[in-house]
Amino acid sequence: TQQLVQQHQSQSKYSQLLAVIEDMGRDIRPTYAGSKTSVERLKRGIVHARILVRECLMECERSARS
């Protein structure tokens, strides 16, 4: 997870969001199968994605003003 965070910091917020969504997709099927670790990773991914969505919106608003 720490490695993913370091990789994502060098990308744009939008690229980070796409990567987080892609990572979340890998945990959906194991979640249905009852994997508790996948559930926790999915929850963390959702929280992270929500933050990134807000940051992307702020970037869009900033670029629209300038």
Side-chain angles (χ1 to χ4, degrees), residues 19-32:
V20 168
I21 291 170
E22 185 178 334
D23 292 341
M24 287 169 48
R26 294 188 191 106
D27 287 318
I28 291 176
R29 191 168 298 181
T31 297
Y32 280 115

Side-chain angles (χ1 to χ4, degrees), residues 43-59:
K43 286 179 184 177
R44 282 195 307 271
I46 291 169
V47 169
H48 191 191
R50 289 181 67 190
I51 292 167
L52 287 171
V53 166
R54 282 190 220 113
E55 291 175 355
C56 285
L57 288 171
M58 288 189 309
E59 279 186 10

Side-chain angles (χ1 to χ4, degrees), residues 6-29:
Q6 290 172 350
Q7 286 176 343
H8 295 322
Q9 287 177 348
S10 64
Q11 301 171 343
S12 72
K13 296 294 180 189
Y14 185 71
S15 297
Q16 290 179 41
L17 178 60
L18 293 178
V20 168
I21 291 170
E22 185 178 334
D23 292 341
M24 287 169 48
R26 294 188 191 106
D27 287 318
I28 291 176
R29 191 168 298 181

